[in-house]
Amino acid sequence: MRIILLYICICFSFFPAFAQKRKIEIVHTDLMVGDRQVRKLYGNVEFKHQDMRMFCDSAYFYVKDNKFEAYNNVKIINNDVTITSDTLYYSSQTNIAKFRGKIKMVNKDVTLTTNYLDYNAKENIGSYFNNGKIVDKENILTSKIGRYTVNDNMLFFKNNVVLKNKDYVIYTDTLKYQTVTKVAYFHGPTRIVSKENLLYTENGWYNTQTNIAQFFKKSYINSKAQFVYGDSLYYNRNTDIGKAFKNVIIKDTVEQLFLYGQKGFYDGKADYVYVTNKILLIKAFKKDSLYLHADSIFSIRLPINKAKPDSATYQIVKAYHKARFYKSDVQGVCDSLLYNSLDSVIHLHIRPIIWSDQNQISGKSISLRLVNNVIEQIDIDADAFLIAQDDSTQFNQMKGKKLRGYIKNNELYKVEISQNGETIYYLRDDSDLVGINKAVCNNIDAYIHNGKVQKIVFKSKPSGTLYPPHEISGSATQLDNFKWLEHIRPQNHKDIYKWKE
């Protein structure tokens, strides 16, 4: 783009020769008629004005006013610049040269074509105003209006501006180019389209030397499955790295993931995004969505087959520090969280806790397995602890080394405890408390309905005691490390932003 814009500066730079008051010379004509005021020239007409030569089939030369009108096969040569047109009107009094018809301006490998081209030599402004096309070896630029203000070193293109390059195409309504800084400015809806991505802005600039862009209004990058939006956006085309600030939105349409924050980082080559400050992650499911907040979140997309980088990919999402999430059927807190789309598992690490209905599940780490974008299984490999609220003061409890929970229709319906199982279970006859069963068993299954434990099955020989309700109370009704943490449970999707201890 820089080459094609610099060309226009060079092309218009020869026009100030018109502004000189020196007389225009008639070098040749086959026939000349007229008087001392107006002369008509016919056949192989040639004018000279300083270093410029002009040719045409016929012309009117107004001697006193030092102006002329040239018709048919008009051609002007000035150093490396050649202009051809059907007609040319020039007056030294107005300092305006007007080219009309089929106009072609050629400077070495660059060509401008248009039907209307004006140059005001007094103000040093050249313009076309009824569609123009500029072509060089690398670019094709078209617009309805084009203007070059020499004194300000500024090029201006407006209305249906399209610049085609082998690497990208720019579509915009208004494009300004500063010839000294080599920076292009966009004012209005602008799309920069390439094979790698789509850039959009309504106000910003692009440095054609460094390939660095800074956008300020309604700006975004759309790359493969990633969409990155920010009130302001920085982008480096050479490295394919972008930074977004304020009201950042990152979308992954493949995984139905939406990330919101105040600062975002994008690496197109690594297919990586990072968001921090006032974060919200939304993962869409069939019936509802999961809302998650953490200090920072990043996502990376990797090829399934590393030997074929362009093959199918999978996504990894990581949320770091003080993660809290809410979904209508499951809520949770942990210090860090990881989602891997390859195995469709969400991993919760460092003091994780999840809740489902009246059930609280904790462990050293927790895994939530998704099937067809629905959570169907919970797994804990160490320090598993299930607490199910029986009433306001009493809790059924199960603990062991491992836990596996099963979810159907968004409800936890079965829990399996394996290895070193322990349980405290409140036996009821309808709503009447019959006794409290405290037992130890290696493998235990619990069946849950409407959020409450309905039945416990000891799969190996248990040892335990059934206590009458009045014979056991206080700490004896709690397994070791019992902690009911309902006060830190996210209550709705707005409650995820405040970390609770």
Side-chain angles (χ1 to χ4, degrees), residues 295-312:
D295 290 344
S296 60
I297 295 178
F298 88 83
S299 168
I300 188 169
R301 187 169 290 280
L302 301 169
I304 295 175
N305 185 346
K306 293 182 179 180
K308 297 180 179 179
D310 295 329
S311 62

Side-chain angles (χ1 to χ4, degrees), residues 7 102-105 111-116 128 131-135 141:
Y7 157 73
K102 295 181 180 180
I103 302 164
K104 179 185 288 189
M105 177 186 286
T111 301
L112 163 66
T113 55
T114 184
N115 290 324
Y116 296 85
Y128 60 83
N131 298 313
K133 181 179 181 180
I134 304 167
V135 180
L141 186 147

